[in-house]
Amino acid sequence: LAPLGEGCLSEDATLRQYISGIGDHYADRHRFHNGLHAASVLHRTAWLAQAAGFSQRFTKLEHLALLVAALGVDAGHFGRTSSFCLATEHPLAQLYLDGPDVMEHFHAALVLGLLQECGVLGQLSTRSKQVLRFWVVSLILDTSVARVLDTVSAIHRTQDS
C-alpha cells in the first residue's frame, strides 16, 4: 500500500496501524469474509491493476484508493446481505436509508472512519482527501450485487444493439 507520494502513508506506523485496524474488522469465524478474503482481494486487485496496465495510468492517490478499497471492501461483514438487512429492518438499513447497497455503505463508512482514525487523511491536502474519499466510496459501492447486475445488463444491452 505504500508506493505513494505526497505524504500518503509516509510513516510506516500509520500504514501498520491502518492494516491492523482493517484486519480487526474481518472476523475469522466467517467462512468467507475473513482476513484471508481481505488479503486475497487486495492481492488480486493489485495484480490485476498491474497486469492490465492500470497501475501505470493511475495517479499515486488513485492507486492508494484502489488498494484501500480492495482491502476494506468487506470490512465488518457479519455474514448477511443488504437484502437481509432491508427485509429484517436491521439498524444498518435504517442508517443507510433503506437503499439497495446497505452493506456496501457500511463497509465504505467503516474504511473512511478508520482512515481518519489512523491519521491517513491527516497526511493529505483537502483536495487529495476529497479525491481519496470519492474513489474509495465509489469503488466499494460498485461491488454491490445490485450495481454489478445493472452493469452486466448494460453490457448485454450494448452487445445486443
Side-chain angles (χ1 to χ4, degrees), residues 2-161:
L4 309 163
E6 199 217 310
C8 297
L9 299 179
S10 61
E11 299 175 24
D12 286 343
T14 303
L15 177 59
R16 282 194 300 275
Q17 184 180 1
Y18 176 75
I19 292 172
S20 175
I22 206 74
D24 290 344
H25 291 286
Y26 282 96
D28 288 333
R29 70 181 180 278
H30 291 303
R31 297 182 79 186
F32 186 74
H33 296 110
N34 54 38
L36 182 59
H37 171 68
S40 176
V41 171
L42 175 63
H43 180 261
R44 285 181 285 149
T45 300
W47 179 87
L48 185 59
Q50 182 68 31
F54 296 139
S55 293
Q56 293 78 19
R57 290 184 289 216
F58 287 170
T59 66
K60 290 180 179 189
L61 192 61
E62 290 167 340
H63 196 196
L64 173 64
L66 177 68
L67 299 179
V68 164
L71 188 59
V73 69
D74 286 315
H77 208 294
F78 51 89
R80 299 292 185 255
T81 64
S82 292
S83 296
F84 173 86
C85 291
L86 292 168
T88 61
E89 298 179 359
H90 190 279
L92 287 178
Q94 295 171 16
L95 180 64
Y96 298 113
L97 307 174
D98 292 327
D101 309 327
V102 171
M103 291 303 296
E104 289 72 22
H105 278 94
F106 170 63
H107 302 312
L110 198 152
V111 167
L112 292 178
L114 190 58
L115 287 170
Q116 181 67 43
E117 181 183 318
C118 292
V120 174
L121 297 180
Q123 295 184 28
L124 301 174
S125 68
T126 300
R127 178 67 184 138
S128 292
K129 278 185 222 180
Q130 292 169 339
V131 170
L132 182 69
R133 289 173 58 89
F134 170 81
W135 282 113
V136 167
V137 170
S138 296
L139 290 164
I140 292 174
L141 292 184
D142 281 345
T143 66
S144 145
V145 171
R147 291 183 191 217
V148 169
L149 292 176
D150 286 346
T151 301
V152 170
S153 293
I155 290 169
H156 285 296
R157 284 192 303 274
T158 302
Q159 291 175 341
D160 292 341
S161 47

